[in-house]
Amino acid sequence: MISSLPRETIISIVLFAMVWQIMSYLAPSLGIPAFAIPGLGRIAESLTKITPLDVAVTLGRVLLSLVVSFVIGLLVAVLMYLSESLEKYLRPMVRILMAVPVVSWILFAVLWFKGVEFRIVFVLVVVCAPVFTVDSLDNMREVSRDLKQMIRSFRPTPLQFFHKLMLPAITPGIITSWKITLSLAIRVVTIAELVGAVTGIGHQLSVAQELFSVADVFAWTLVLVVLLFFLEALLVRLETHVLRWRA
Amino acid sequence: MTAASAPIEIAQLRKVFRQTTSGQSITAIDHLSLRIEPGELIAIVGKTGCGKSTLFDLLIGLEHPTAGSITIGGKTPYDDFNAFRGKIATIFQQDRLFPWRSALDNVKLPLELIGIADDVQQERALTWLKRLGLEKFANAYPRELSGGMRQRVAIARAFAVQPEILLADESFSALDEVTANELRKTFVDLAREFKSTAILITHQLEEAMAVGDRIVVFGKSATLLADVRMSDWDRADYPLLREAIQNTLQANVPDARLRR
């Protein structure tokens, strides 16, 4: 994986690590407590203590929520595409959902629901589904009128119209939506897990914060970033395969 | 292949569009009456904006007439939309292939829509690609094909459903002359072989004369300026015919020489 990274990326990462290490050495002489900027050795030690179960739990929550968000988002987009009047009612609601801060959703979830897992999935879905809806609807509207006319001339059923034309036509847009919501979900899940969860990366970050362990916070954050890059790389591979016709 | 069995009867057809911005009405087709016999190869020629493409959309059933009717075997393509599934096929000016499908899968598309078995779809699509000289490009995506090849795939796609009625809207005008001539000939040969009722809409008189057994000349708002059966004319008189139609198109009034 590292060998596939551009040289410039590797250099910038190495430079950042060097600057961090230098700051770690200089911190006490600058009046900054030593624990605030731990050395790379200390962070590496924290990395060895990463529990795969927490990573898996967070990953599971993210993927499950994204799948549910995608299904709901796409379904709502299709309904809005089919009915102009329904769109007029739903579009303001979708926009309102998108404007509500994540923290407010977390507070609502804590106040409304008992189950921790449900709270987390609820927050992720309510944040991600509107993104899928708006993107899918915009993409459906942009499907070529010529292609719509062509397939309609062959008289497809409504299901065939969506299956044969609309879905493949909006696939590039859907993959872009997945990239956006993936990064969004990784950030949101961490915050959602901070409240009440007893597993997951967010929970571990909360524990690290309680212990004033910046090394642990850094290590878990690093895991999150790597997890995001890994999932994005998978998406890019999927994109290359699915959209090979565009090459 | 099923040969066309019913005539297309266009009676007092009228289509008016209301512009959304200005609210003005535009009469695209004004009281057009025309009868097209089964198996006839008809070319409709007229200047740009004369209502040809509106008639095309009405014949496909994508538009509803403001007044009058189009009936085929007692059914209308717009009200009885699904009754014409697999019976009407179209070839447009642009190939309108799905870029995400291979040539083979593009030809299979209408067969999938009418619910033909997978193995039959495959066999029939391959047969049509072979017929149009594209068997080596079955797995190529549209971007890998030339304009002429893509249009051939579009022709294969249209004929693969064994349509009773074949509608072509400026289907060869975007191609170079050599390719266009070759594809016009293919189109005519196939339409004759399978006895489909074929309607070619074009603004090019040469194309209309090369393809049609009958040439219908449209004036403004699809006013019927001339309805010429090529069989009524000797080949030696074709230059005269061409001149008379050109005169009709330019003056927007029927030329007396066209009355036979």
Side-chain angles (χ1 to χ4, degrees):
Chain A
M1 193 173 170
I2 288 173
S3 61
S4 66
L5 290 174
R7 199 203 314 175
E8 293 82 354
T9 308
I10 296 168
I11 290 171
S12 65
I13 292 170
V14 170
L15 275 176
F16 174 77
M18 284 167 66
V19 170
W20 181 273
Q21 189 63 19
I22 291 165
M23 282 174 67
S24 167
Y25 278 123
L26 296 177
S29 56
L30 295 170
I32 301 166
F35 72 86
I37 308 177
L40 294 179
R42 174 69 189 86
I43 291 168
E45 195 187 318
S46 290
L47 278 171
T48 60
K49 291 177 193 159
I50 293 293
T51 42
L53 179 69
D54 288 295
V55 179
V57 166
T58 296
L59 182 65
R61 284 169 181 155
V62 166
L63 293 181
L64 171 74
S65 306
L66 281 179
V67 170
V68 174
S69 303
F70 173 63
V71 172
I72 294 173
L74 185 65
L75 215 66
V76 173
V78 169
L79 292 173
M80 287 167 82
Y81 179 80
L82 290 174
S83 166
E84 210 174 308
S85 51
L86 189 66
E87 194 209 330
K88 281 178 187 163
Y89 285 105
L90 288 180
R91 195 173 267 278
M93 288 167 68
V94 172
R95 293 195 71 87
I96 289 167
L97 286 182
M98 290 177 86
V100 175
V102 175
V103 176
S104 301
W105 285 123
I106 292 170
L107 293 176
F108 283 135
V110 170
L111 294 168
W112 289 342
F113 309 115
K114 271 188 177 173
V116 173
E117 292 304 321
F118 189 80
R119 279 179 195 166
I120 294 170
V121 173
F122 168 80
V123 171
L124 282 169
V125 169
V126 88
V127 169
C128 297
V131 178
F132 280 120
T133 299
V134 170
D135 283 0
S136 303
L137 186 62
D138 287 348
N139 281 298
M140 277 190 255
R141 296 229 181 285
E142 280 168 23
V143 174
S144 150
R145 189 182 169 274
D146 285 355
L147 291 185
K148 287 180 191 168
Q149 189 192 29
M150 186 280 293
I151 195 169
R152 281 199 174 120
S153 74
F154 287 111
R155 289 157 163 79
T157 61
L159 198 64
Q160 286 174 329
F161 180 78
F162 274 93
H163 175 226
K164 307 285 181 189
L165 171 64
M166 298 305 270
L167 272 181
I170 67 169
T171 298
I174 286 177
I175 292 175
T176 306
S177 285
W178 269 86
K179 285 182 189 164
I180 295 165
T181 48
L182 185 64
S183 138
L184 184 66
I186 289 277
R187 281 175 281 149
V188 172
V189 76
T190 323
I191 307 168
E193 284 176 341
L194 285 171
V195 187
V198 288
T199 50
I201 297 174
H203 166 70
Q204 290 298 344
L205 280 168
S206 168
V207 171
Q209 182 253 325
E210 283 166 14
L211 298 172
F212 291 100
S213 172
V214 177
D216 286 353
V217 171
F218 198 105
W220 280 107
T221 306
L222 201 63
V223 169
L224 263 180
V225 171
V226 170
L227 187 66
L228 177 62
F229 284 174
F230 173 71
L231 291 174
E232 278 181 346
L234 283 182
L235 264 179
V236 169
R237 290 196 77 163
L238 178 78
E239 183 180 33
T240 311
H241 175 72
V242 174
L243 305 182
R244 59 192 179 281
W245 53 270
R246 281 205 312 196
Chain B
M1 175 175 276
T2 322
S5 53
I8 300 170
E9 290 173 286
I10 301 169
Q12 292 297 311
L13 186 70
R14 195 155 188 272
K15 181 67 191 177
V16 179
F17 291 104
R18 188 172 288 275
Q19 283 190 323
T20 46
T21 45
S22 64
Q24 280 186 321
S25 292
I26 294 171
T27 305
I29 297 176
D30 197 10
H31 295 100
L32 173 70
S33 292
L34 193 68
R35 183 184 163 94
I36 301 165
E37 296 302 330
E40 208 167 24
L41 227 164
I42 182 169
I44 297 175
V45 67
K47 286 183 185 172
T48 306
C50 73
K52 305 184 300 284
S53 293
T54 304
L55 177 64
F56 184 84
D57 286 347
L58 286 159
L59 285 165
I60 301 173
L62 298 183
E63 289 284 352
H64 199 282
T66 309
S69 64
I70 298 175
T71 49
I72 306 165
K75 289 182 174 151
T76 63
Y78 32 90
D79 288 332
D80 307 301
F81 193 76
N82 290 330
F84 291 91
R85 182 173 289 149
K87 291 182 179 171
I88 295 179
T90 45
I91 307 168
F92 297 90
Q93 182 173 14
Q94 305 298 333
D95 52 79
R96 301 194 187 183
L97 301 179
F98 284 174
W100 54 88
R101 282 181 171 238
S102 66
L104 180 73
D105 288 341
N106 267 291
V107 178
K108 276 161 71 174
L109 173 74
L111 304 173
E112 292 168 14
L113 299 179
I114 57 176
I116 285 180
D118 288 359
D119 52 337
V120 181
Q121 281 175 28
Q122 180 81 2
E123 191 190 327
R124 204 190 284 180
L126 271 172
T127 305
W128 275 102
L129 281 180
K130 200 172 174 182
R131 186 106 202 232
L132 284 142
L134 290 168
E135 69 272 31
K136 285 182 188 161
F137 298 92
N139 295 317
Y141 287 108
R143 68 175 168 81
E144 297 168 316
L145 303 173
S146 69
M149 289 161 104
R150 287 200 299 269
Q151 199 62 339
R152 264 189 258 169
V153 176
I155 293 174
R157 179 180 63 192
F159 277 98
V161 284
Q162 306 181 342
E164 289 182 18
I165 297 164
L166 194 63
L167 299 166
D169 186 9
E170 305 277 6
S171 304
F172 315 109
S173 39
L175 302 168
D176 65 84
E177 202 45 42
V178 176
T179 312
N181 281 336
E182 183 196 323
L183 291 189
R184 272 181 211 123
K185 188 178 177 317
T186 307
F187 174 78
V188 171
D189 290 348
L190 292 173
R192 290 224 167 93
E193 183 183 342
F194 296 105
K195 298 184 175 64
S196 300
T197 306
I199 303 170
L200 172 72
I201 285 171
T202 179
H203 68 278
Q204 294 174 341
L205 179 56
E206 294 300 324
E207 181 168 85
M209 290 184 70
V211 170
D213 294 332
R214 183 180 162 197
I215 298 173
V216 168
V217 184
F218 276 0
K220 199 170 176 286
S221 301
T223 318
L224 197 59
L225 294 178
D227 189 348
V228 180
R229 282 179 200 283
M230 297 298 280
S231 56
D232 292 344
W233 291 73
D234 291 333
R235 274 202 171 268
D237 292 335
Y238 277 12
L240 181 72
L241 173 65
R242 186 178 295 112
E243 192 192 311
I245 295 177
Q246 253 162 3
N247 193 34
T248 297
L249 280 167
Q250 269 168 11
N252 199 41
V253 286
D255 187 300
R257 289 173 290 181
L258 293 173
R259 291 192 197 110
R260 291 219 158 181

